[in-house]
């Protein structure tokens, strides 16, 4: 179908933002795993990585640094699988040197995000996940401003259990309210660590903060994902964790969250 | 310097942007002609005011990381506590994470407000010799979101440096948000004449974090900011029950050690994961006094000694030059 005349998101059924006020809580991890889970359940998925200063998704999906091609409809996204079910766009693909710092102030970041939203030829997608940097600033405002023309289903908020993180996520909830973004649910990441030697569970970053926050703010609690060295290692190597460890409790946690989210989106 | 006049429209690109006076947002702004003429591209007079203000501050240390959630605020808080444990040392902790200020909570100061005095904003004191400033003190509720674009954040940082009545200070510790953007450029530019001793870089062991931290190091090189050293945080976890160590964030590419060797930077130390660190932060207490004999506390103390050593030998000339953008 010729999409050049129309917006690049016209054939995208659902757009979901992955947000968190706090850095390093697992936004990119959750984005990646949700995308993989959606794909395993037969959906076509796209990931737009708008973390311009610290793009992590290309590594987590081990797509390397392919060149981004142009077609009539815009930039062709990079596919993480041969079946082309998982499409990805990130600033990581546009950098010559992976260690180069993107030392940009807001206006420049906003301009690139505008292009990312309008010029990527996603084609047909069931879900587009938008991975964001921490905070409530330029990137978030710009991505929303640009997505407004289309449709945003809502946001998944990621937090770790400790109060220092849920505090930042409360601010993100305020951001969602002020900008009229529906909160699809809260995910608690890094929730408890089970020692592989003795099976003792240690709550390294406390426990239950995500669920509490969901209650406090009247949001849906989607579930908690434990700290799992196998998950961190898989993301380091860009391996599909869900395919590699279907027996683990982390697998169950992630697929349950993905299922709930998907059925909420598609209902 | 991206700066925004108070009467500028919301999407003001900043007076020193190449776009100043030329964007669609500039239409109708009372400052458009001045901006378009380029007259404001001269150095910001605030830099000189900040230099004067900072003459009473001996050492200035930035805590940086390209990656979020690696422990910048935790380290900044504990560095400040440790330095202030010597009663004769005056310590100031400035939080320039405008959208996600964690310092008030970690220092046990949540709900505190800043007071205005004749000589500027008064910081909030944890102890007589430990002053703290954060945007968190300017918000009316913990739910308040600071939804600001860059120029407004920069204006706030300028005020923190110029308008806060810090007094005589031995160490100013600046906690930063993740990334290499407005806040980082601004703090470095505003302190360019006053001089910065150096930056402490925090990372976690896994490559997903290191790849962002390498960018931050590149940023330091670009703005000629000396690097005091790198700290590897969340480095292994010792099970409290069986005492076996697990690498929760595995150093698949050699961790901070390999990165430091490759980039010829000092590795200041490694701090293991300890659930009591996060707990102390949530309760606003110092982990170093809560559990002083833990391996993590000892690692912190050794790192802090190295930073003190560095500062006592550093002779800042106050000429960090920034010619980006």
């Amino acid at each position: 179908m010729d999409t050049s005349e129309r917006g690049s998101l016209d054939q995208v059924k659902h757009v979901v933002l992955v947000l968190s006020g706090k850095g390093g809580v697992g936004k990119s991890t959750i984005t990646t795993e949700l995308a993989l889970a959606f794909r395993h359940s037969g959906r076509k998925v796209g990931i737009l990585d708008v973390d311009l200063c610290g793009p992590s998704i290309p590594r987590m999906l081990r797509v390397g640094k392919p060149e981004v091609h142009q077609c009539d409809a815009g930039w062709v996204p990079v596919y993480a699988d041969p079946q082309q079910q998982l499409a990805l766009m990130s600033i990581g693909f546009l950098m010559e040197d992976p260690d180069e710092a993107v030392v940009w102030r807001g206006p420049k970041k906003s301009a690139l995000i505008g292009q990312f939203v309008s010029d990527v030829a996603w084609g047909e997608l069931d879900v587009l996940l938008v991975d964001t940097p921490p905070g409530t600033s330029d990137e978030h405002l710009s991505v929303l401003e640009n997505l407004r023309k289309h449709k945003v289903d809502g946001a998944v908020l990621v937090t770790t259990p400790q109060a220092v993180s849920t505090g930042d996520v409360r601010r993100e909830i305020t951001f969602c309210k002020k900008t009229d973004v529906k909160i699809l649910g809260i995910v608690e990441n890094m929730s408890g660590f089970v020692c592989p030697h003795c099976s003792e569970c240690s709550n390294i970053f406390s426990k239950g903060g995500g669920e509490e926050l969901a209650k406090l703010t009247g949001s849906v609690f989607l579930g908690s994902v434990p700290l799992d060295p196998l998950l961190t290692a898989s993301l380091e190597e860009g391996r599909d964790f869900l395919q590699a460890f279907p027996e683990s409790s982390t697998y169950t946690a992630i697929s349950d969250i993905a299922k709930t989210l998907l059925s909420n989106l598609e209902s | 310097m991206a700066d925004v006049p108070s009467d500028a429209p919301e999407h003001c690109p900043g007076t020193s942007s190449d776009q100043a006076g030329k964007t669609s947002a500039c239409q109708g702004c009372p400052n458009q002609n001045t901006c378009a003429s380029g007259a404001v591209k001269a150095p910001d007079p605030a830099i000189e005011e900040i230099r004067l203000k900072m003459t009473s501050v001996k050492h200035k240390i930035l805590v940086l990381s390209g990656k979020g959630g690696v422990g910048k605020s935790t380290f900044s808080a504990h560095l400040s506590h440790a330095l202030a444990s010597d009663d004769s040392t005056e310590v100031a902790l400035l939080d320039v994470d405008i959208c996600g200020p964690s310092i008030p909570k970690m220092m046990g100061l949540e709900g505190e407000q800043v007071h205005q005095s004749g000589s500027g904003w008064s910081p909030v004191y944890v102890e007589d010799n430990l002053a703290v400033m954060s945007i968190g003190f300017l918000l009316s509720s913990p739910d308040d979101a600071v939804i600001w674009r860059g120029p407004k954040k920069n204006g706030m940082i300028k005020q923190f440096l110029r308008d806060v009545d810090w007094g005589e200070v031995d160490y100013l510790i600046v906690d930063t948000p993740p990334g290499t953007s407005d806040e980082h450029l601004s703090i470095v530019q505003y302190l360019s004449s006053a001089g910065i001793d150096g930056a402490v870089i925090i990372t976690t062991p896994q490559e997903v974090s290191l790849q962002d931290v390498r960018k931050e190091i590149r940023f330091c090189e670009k703005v000629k900011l000396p690097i005091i050293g790198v700290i590897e945080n969340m480095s292994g976890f010792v099970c409290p029950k069986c005492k076996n160590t697990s690498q929760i964030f595995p150093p698949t590419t050699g961790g901070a050690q390999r990165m430091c060797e490759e980039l010829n930077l000092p590795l200041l130390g490694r701090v293991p994961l300890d659930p009591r660190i996060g707990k102390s932060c949530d309760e606003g207490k110092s982990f170093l006094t809560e559990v002083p004999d833990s391996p993590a506390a000892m690692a912190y103390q050794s790192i802090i000694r190295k930073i003190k050593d560095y500062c006592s030998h550093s002779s800042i000339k106050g000429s960090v030059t920034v010619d980006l953008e």
Side-chain angles (χ1 to χ4, degrees):
Chain A
M1 199 192 295
D2 178 28
T3 54
S4 57
E5 297 287 301
R6 306 188 286 142
S8 58
L9 292 170
D10 278 359
Q11 292 167 280
V12 176
K13 285 192 198 130
H14 303 285
V15 177
V16 175
L17 303 176
V18 180
L19 296 176
S20 170
K22 179 105 185 103
V25 296
K27 284 177 296 302
S28 302
T29 300
I30 297 295
T31 306
T32 303
E33 296 307 318
L34 283 177
L36 291 170
F38 291 165
R39 195 195 61 186
H40 288 312
S41 50
R43 305 302 192 284
K44 261 197 107 171
V45 193
I47 300 179
L48 175 60
D49 181 5
V50 300
D51 189 345
L52 304 183
C53 294
S56 308
I57 302 274
R59 182 177 186 92
M60 291 182 169
L61 286 168
R62 198 164 56 179
V63 288
K65 211 195 110 344
E67 269 189 34
V68 171
H69 299 284
Q70 293 266 358
C71 70
D72 292 346
W75 286 342
V76 183
V78 171
Y79 289 94
D81 57 341
Q83 299 81 27
Q84 305 209 334
Q85 296 292 303
L86 178 47
L88 170 59
M89 184 50 76
S90 165
I91 195 173
F93 303 142
L94 308 176
M95 312 277 298
E96 288 277 317
D97 170 358
D99 293 344
E100 196 51 59
V102 176
V103 188
W104 288 359
R105 291 188 180 273
K108 232 173 145 180
K109 294 196 284 193
S110 302
L112 182 65
I113 289 172
Q115 276 194 295
F116 269 172
V117 172
S118 58
D119 297 352
V120 178
W122 294 105
E124 258 182 73
L125 288 183
D126 291 296
V127 186
L128 176 68
L129 296 165
V130 182
D131 185 26
T132 61
T136 48
S137 191
D138 290 285
E139 291 90 337
H140 312 81
L141 289 169
S142 303
V143 83
L144 274 178
E145 250 166 41
N146 285 291
L147 282 173
R148 280 271 178 254
K149 302 163 206 153
H150 310 278
K151 173 184 86 146
V152 181
D153 288 72
V156 170
L157 298 176
V158 183
T159 185
T160 53
Q162 78 269 39
V164 168
S165 169
T166 56
D168 282 354
V169 178
R170 279 172 76 172
R171 291 188 256 273
E172 200 75 31
I173 291 175
T174 308
F175 171 83
C176 288
K177 285 185 182 148
K178 283 197 182 168
T179 52
D180 263 332
V181 173
K182 187 180 166 200
I183 295 167
L184 299 170
I186 295 177
V187 174
E188 178 175 302
N189 192 26
M190 308 195 193
S191 174
F193 170 68
V194 178
C195 175
H197 306 282
C198 68
S199 303
E200 168 87 355
C201 181
S202 299
N203 294 320
I204 299 185
F205 300 111
S206 169
K207 173 111 194 133
E211 196 164 2
E212 229 168 82
L213 180 70
K215 262 188 214 143
L216 190 77
T217 56
S219 320
V220 177
F221 182 62
L222 289 169
S224 31
V225 179
L227 258 180
D228 186 337
L230 290 174
L231 176 59
T232 27
S234 298
L235 291 163
E236 282 277 283
E237 294 155 14
R239 207 160 20 132
D240 184 343
F241 172 83
L242 299 175
Q243 203 168 43
F245 303 100
E247 318 275 272
S248 73
S249 60
T250 311
Y251 171 89
T252 320
I254 294 170
S255 14
D256 285 353
I257 292 169
K259 248 180 252 161
T260 315
L261 187 61
L262 201 56
S263 70
N264 289 352
L265 283 174
E266 293 179 348
S267 66
Chain B
M1 183 83 32
D3 228 335
V4 171
S6 52
D7 51 355
E10 189 187 351
H11 296 298
C12 171
T15 52
S16 65
S17 155
D18 288 341
Q19 296 302 310
K22 297 173 194 157
T23 71
S24 52
C26 300
Q27 300 298 328
C29 172
N31 309 301
Q32 185 185 10
N33 287 338
T34 329
C35 282
S37 72
V40 284
K41 291 193 93 178
D44 188 333
I47 294 177
E48 179 58 18
E49 291 165 35
I50 289 167
R51 188 188 68 78
L52 287 171
K53 187 92 183 181
M54 288 290 148
T55 48
S56 63
V57 178
K58 280 194 202 130
H59 299 291
K60 300 161 209 81
I61 300 170
L62 302 189
V63 179
L64 296 176
S65 172
K67 181 95 184 117
V70 295
K72 286 176 297 300
S73 301
T74 304
F75 183 75
S76 305
H78 286 94
L79 175 60
S80 308
H81 275 301
L83 291 169
S85 63
D86 173 1
D87 288 340
S88 62
T89 307
E90 296 292 330
V91 183
L93 172 56
L94 172 62
D95 181 5
V96 300
D97 190 343
I98 306 293
C99 293
S102 310
I103 291 290
K105 177 150 209 98
M106 287 189 184
M107 301 303 279
L109 300 173
E110 226 179 5
E112 296 281 343
Q113 295 284 321
V114 163
H115 298 284
Q116 185 87 38
S117 75
S119 46
W121 283 344
S122 302
V124 176
Y125 285 85
V126 186
E127 287 156 50
D128 285 346
N129 62 337
L130 177 49
V132 182
M133 189 51 151
S134 166
I135 194 164
F137 302 142
L138 304 172
L139 304 176
S140 52
S141 130
D143 287 326
D144 269 5
V146 181
I147 309 173
W148 287 357
R149 291 188 180 269
K152 266 181 105 170
K153 296 194 281 192
N154 302 330
M156 189 80 241
I157 291 170
K158 183 204 285 186
Q159 279 190 288
F160 279 158
L161 293 169
R162 188 188 57 192
D163 303 340
V164 173
D165 182 20
W166 293 107
E168 290 287 324
V169 171
D170 293 295
Y171 291 94
L172 172 69
I173 314 296
V174 183
D175 183 27
T176 64
T180 49
S181 191
D182 287 286
E183 294 88 335
H184 312 84
L185 280 168
S186 295
I187 189 86
V188 171
Q189 284 175 327
Y190 285 133
L191 286 174
S192 58
S193 302
I196 301 170
D197 289 60
V200 175
I201 310 247
I202 319 271
T203 186
T204 50
Q206 77 276 38
E207 179 59 27
V208 169
S209 170
L210 292 170
Q211 66 178 10
D212 290 352
V213 171
R214 286 198 196 93
K215 293 175 198 285
E216 197 75 34
I217 292 169
R218 195 62 74 84
F219 167 82
C220 292
E221 289 165 2
K222 276 191 182 177
V223 299
K224 301 190 179 65
L225 176 63
I227 294 173
I228 301 175
V230 176
I231 298 170
E232 183 174 279
N233 198 19
M234 309 193 190
S235 179
F237 170 68
V238 181
C239 175
K241 194 171 169 205
C242 69
K243 308 290 171 210
N244 276 305
T245 303
S246 299
Q247 295 299 336
I248 297 185
F249 301 110
T252 52
T253 55
Q257 175 144 22
R258 168 97 66 86
M259 182 187 74
C260 285
E261 283 163 11
E262 282 168 6
L263 299 174
N264 199 19
L265 291 171
L267 177 63
L268 296 172
R270 290 198 191 92
V271 183
L273 268 173
D274 187 326
R276 293 170 294 187
I277 299 177
K279 193 161 170 274
S280 306
C281 288
D282 273 1
E283 291 168 358
K285 292 176 185 157
S286 166
F287 172 72
L288 302 175
T289 47
E290 292 287 297
V291 205
D293 49 358
S294 63
M298 287 192 271
Y300 266 127
Q301 294 289 8
S302 139
I303 290 166
I304 290 162
R305 263 196 306 279
K306 288 180 192 164
I307 294 174
K308 272 167 109 170
D309 262 8
Y310 176 96
C311 287
S312 63
H313 294 114
S314 90
S315 52
I316 41 169
K317 295 289 173 283
S319 60
V320 180
T321 46
V322 183
D323 47 6
L324 288 163
E325 288 184 280

